[in-house]
Every structure is written in C-alpha cells, then in structure tokens.
Amino acid sequence: MELIIKYSEYFGYLAATLTTIAFVPQLARTFNTRSSEDVSLAMLLLFISGLLCWIIYALGTNSKPVLIANLITLILNLCILILKIFFSHNQIKAS
C-alpha cells in the first residue's frame, strides 16, 4: 500500500509538471507577437479564480504537488493577464 501511495505522488508531480508547462507556449506567443487577441479575458479570469481555489484546497489538504503546480500556473497566467492588459492598452493608444 505504501508503494502505491509513493507512486501516486510521482504521478501527481508528473501531472503538475505537464499541466503547468502547458501554459508556457501561450505566454511565449503572447510575449513574442505582442498580441493577446487570441486569449479570452473571461477565460483568464475564470481560470485564475479556479487556480486560487486549488491553492486553498492544496493548503487545506497539505498536497504539495497540487500546491506547487497551481502556484506556478497562477504566476504564468498572471503574466499572460498582465501582458493582455498591457498590449490591449497599447493597441488602444495606437488607434
């Protein structure tokens, strides 16, 4: 039983890693193209809200994989949100 728990924690870290790095291409694309038109503001706000809920859950259950993944994913998505606001503001000024 202890072995199963240990392996499931490894899968937790693997899942955390994969789902977290999934946002790196979007962040890179947003930064490189200086455009965030293809990123929905509503999706970002809802997703960030969900991440905050996962972080609270992870703190309450002492789940390190969930906490670490969601903290990193929160940072990545906050960067995307900041870029979206910044680029949208600059596009309005340019018009």
Side-chain angles (χ1 to χ4, degrees):
M1 184 69 166
E2 188 175 313
L3 184 63
I4 292 172
I5 293 171
K6 188 172 187 168
Y7 279 116
S8 63
E9 189 159 329
Y10 290 136
F11 277 105
Y13 281 109
L14 178 61
T17 301
L18 294 173
T19 57
T20 298
I21 62 173
F23 286 94
V24 172
Q26 182 63 57
L27 178 58
R29 179 180 177 169
T30 302
F31 185 77
N32 291 333
T33 63
R34 304 278 191 251
S35 174
S36 60
E37 292 178 15
D38 55 340
V39 179
S40 164
L41 180 61
M43 185 277 303
L44 274 175
L45 294 174
L46 287 168
F47 192 75
I48 288 169
S49 298
L51 289 170
L52 291 170
C53 291
W54 275 116
I55 290 167
I56 293 167
Y57 169 81
L59 289 170
T61 60
N62 197 28
S63 177
K64 288 182 185 178
V66 174
L67 179 62
I68 293 168
N70 285 289
L71 283 172
I72 295 169
T73 305
L74 176 65
I75 292 166
L76 292 172
N77 278 275
L78 286 173
C79 290
I80 294 169
L81 178 63
I82 290 166
L83 289 174
K84 180 162 184 63
I85 292 167
F86 179 76
F87 294 146
S88 295
H89 182 68
N90 284 347
Q91 287 174 352
I92 292 170
K93 276 187 172 181
S95 296

